[in-house]
Amino acid sequence: MTTINEQLSTTTLLRFATAGSVDDGKSTLVGRLLHDSKSILTDQLEAVEAASLKRGQEAPDLALLTDGLRAEREQGITIDVAYRYFATARRRFILADTPGHVQYTRNMVTGASTAELAVVLVDARNGVVEQTRRHAAVAALLRVPHVVLAVNKMDLVEYAEPVFAAIAEEFTAYAASLGVPEITAIPISALAGDNVVEPSAHMDWYGGPTVLEHLESVPVSHDLADCPGRFPVQYVIRPQTAELPDFRGYAGQIASGALRVGEAVTVLPSGLTSTVSGIDVLGNPTDIAWAPQSVTVTLADDLDISRGDMIAPSAAAPRTTQDVEATVCHVADQPLVVGQRVLLKHTTRTVKAIVKDIPSRLTLDDLSQHPAPGQLVANDIGRVLVRTAEPLALDAYADSRRTGSFLLIDPADGTTLAAGMAGDSFTSPDVVAEVDDDGWDF
């Protein structure tokens, strides 16, 4: 008989996020999913039942399973991103329940940034609204490969097929125009449990999967393994012992692709080249390692390599640049302005940078570009041009979500200002820019 741990070790992992307008039932859907898949501990359910009775509700309010902040429970809304981990016999899941309010759009970006699937909820009574289009646009912007349209509260429209069909048609056309590659529409009632885990007895006209069936069967992207090899160095190991007097290893997590012993590699941004002489995974030597494994790599040559450098196969090494053109989501309360000094963190490398220009701000309602906004405020998404003090080995976000993303940070207090997605417009200067004594004017 196989144990639970043995089963989990052979199942795949799916990261997914939920999104939708206020009161569309996101937290209730998540609670129903956890409850009906038997992923709730007895004491958790008892706590929810007690809290529900205290609020005058006869039945347990499953939304309380994810609305963990006191302000969320008092207001009946989701504010923070709530992460939940659960598993079935077929797959493991990391779920991010994101807020629906417009002012918390930045939280939706956080939750969906690593998701491979987004569940966008729509109230069957209201249909596709502005916030629905906003969340679809964010999912497309973040290159989430699979989107599920969950038309919720079908019990309040008498489970009418024409209502579902009209909403599904409108949303699918809009999402497809944004470039979302795959859209699946499912009619549900999160409160009653219809088509969440068990098929609905009230919608015999629907022959598709339940939400859980789709989550268990959707293909999990292996883009990290399929992308070119990228190994950001996190730590240089120099034991200096009698047994290993000249050992120099480079530790970190492979961000994408694979590394092989004997493979020619280039160290960036220096451009030095060598050959992989050894790879160690959890104390065991191996001939190949791939993302997202944490490894120690040794090279045939003694090179000057430090934290923040990137090792990549020479045949597919990224270009380096000091001029970064990117789309950013501004997440801080203070605005981002032209000329602002920031720190740019890309993988394990953090460099000084200056915001040179903010060409446009995206209007998510109709996807139009507002030119020259002058600044970006909280929840804004816009294009920026950033000049860095040192070259970076950036990929385009369209090619790699891991090595094409970065953060802009306030150098004064370490506050995260914006999450960035690098574009394709790179320049590759041959000479590092001159800087003043403060290291900022470049």
Side-chain angles (χ1 to χ4, degrees):
M1 179 180 295
T2 58
T3 65
I4 294 292
N5 288 336
E6 289 173 338
Q7 291 178 0
L8 294 181
S9 67
T10 59
T11 55
T12 55
L13 172 67
L14 175 70
R15 297 175 181 266
F16 72 101
T18 59
S21 299
V22 178
D23 294 330
D24 277 355
K26 297 179 303 301
S27 297
T28 303
L29 170 63
V30 173
R32 174 63 64 184
L33 193 61
L34 296 173
H35 179 272
D36 289 6
S37 64
K38 297 179 174 55
S39 301
I40 305 174
L41 298 176
T42 302
D43 59 339
Q44 290 178 311
L45 185 58
E46 290 175 350
V48 168
E49 291 173 344
S52 300
L53 286 174
K54 187 176 180 180
R55 296 171 60 176
Q57 297 171 300
E58 296 181 2
D61 185 355
L62 298 179
L64 297 179
L65 287 168
T66 54
D67 287 342
L69 297 179
R70 176 177 295 179
E72 294 177 325
R73 296 195 177 199
E74 291 175 349
Q75 300 177 50
I77 62 173
T78 301
I79 296 174
D80 197 11
V81 181
Y83 290 95
R84 289 295 180 269
Y85 308 84
F86 68 102
T88 66
R90 299 180 61 183
R91 180 166 282 176
R92 293 173 292 139
F93 302 95
I94 297 179
L95 180 158
D97 182 28
T98 67
H101 280 261
V102 174
Q103 63 264 40
Y104 300 124
T105 300
R106 56 189 174 183
N107 298 49
M108 191 263 179
V109 172
T110 300
S113 61
T114 59
E116 294 176 291
L117 182 145
V119 179
V120 179
L121 268 77
V122 170
D123 188 325
R125 300 168 299 175
N126 302 327
V128 176
V129 296
E130 176 184 323
Q131 191 69 342
T132 309
R133 291 189 290 270
R134 180 176 284 107
H135 286 149
V138 170
L141 185 68
L142 294 173
R143 308 256 176 193
V144 180
H146 307 282
V147 172
V148 172
L149 170 67
V151 182
N152 193 24
K153 304 188 181 182
M154 288 296 295
D155 54 315
L156 300 182
V157 295
E158 300 180 348
Y159 299 102
E161 181 181 6
V163 174
F164 167 74
I167 295 173
E169 182 179 1
E170 180 182 356
F171 180 86
T172 300
Y174 179 77
S177 69
L178 298 175
V180 176
E182 180 182 292
I183 305 150
T184 302
I186 304 176
I188 68 169
S189 171
L191 188 63
D194 293 285
N195 284 338
V196 178
V197 172
E198 301 294 336
S200 172
H202 302 97
M203 292 180 279
D204 53 2
W205 45 264
Y206 173 74
T210 66
V211 173
L212 183 60
E213 286 173 348
H214 184 69
L215 294 176
E216 288 183 325
S217 60
V218 68
V220 174
S221 173
H222 294 287
D223 61 331
L224 284 181
D226 294 338
C227 292
R230 301 287 186 264
F231 179 61
V233 176
Q234 183 174 351
Y235 186 73
V236 179
I237 300 175
R238 294 294 306 276
Q240 300 294 319
T241 62
E243 295 80 8
L244 299 169
D246 299 318
F247 182 85
R248 184 190 295 265
Y250 309 103
Q253 183 183 51
I254 299 178
S256 65
L259 289 179
R260 297 169 176 81
V261 173
E263 184 173 38
V265 293
T266 299
V267 180
L268 299 167
S270 67
L272 300 173
T273 59
S274 186
T275 302
V276 177
S277 59
I279 302 175
D280 182 279
V281 180
L282 297 176
N284 299 311
T286 182
D287 292 331
I288 182 172
W290 53 86
Q293 288 181 307
S294 295
V295 301
T296 298
V297 174
T298 56
L299 302 181
D301 301 285
D302 189 8
L303 304 180
D304 182 12
I305 300 175
S306 58
R307 174 183 170 86
D309 289 344
M310 181 176 290
I311 299 174
S314 297
R319 292 174 294 173
T320 59
T321 183
Q322 287 178 253
D323 295 295
V324 181
E325 179 181 352
T327 299
V328 302
C329 176
H330 192 61
V331 300
D333 292 328
Q334 64 267 37
L336 185 73
V337 299
V338 175
Q340 187 169 346
R341 298 178 176 186
V342 297
L343 297 177
L344 190 153
K345 178 174 173 54
H346 173 249
T347 62
T348 59
R349 189 175 186 83
T350 301
V351 300
K352 294 180 178 180
I354 289 180
V355 179
K356 302 296 290 185
D357 192 16
I358 304 177
S360 62
R361 183 182 72 242
L362 181 66
T363 304
L364 289 174
D365 305 337
D366 56 5
L367 300 182
S368 63
Q369 295 285 345
H370 178 77
Q375 66 178 12
L376 296 178
V377 298
N379 297 308
D380 276 351
I381 294 176
R383 298 290 293 177
V384 299
L385 299 176
V386 179
R387 175 74 170 177
T388 62
E390 304 169 31
L392 294 173
L394 271 168
D395 288 297
Y397 186 81
D399 297 330
S400 174
R401 295 171 72 187
R402 182 74 181 275
T403 56
S405 59
F406 60 87
L407 296 177
L408 297 182
I409 299 171
D410 187 336
D413 59 10
T415 301
T416 298
L417 300 174
M421 294 149 279
D424 297 301
S425 301
F426 296 136
T427 59
S428 301
D430 296 326
V431 181
V432 176
E434 295 290 337
V435 300
D436 67 1
D437 292 338
D438 294 329
W440 287 103
D441 294 333
F442 42 86

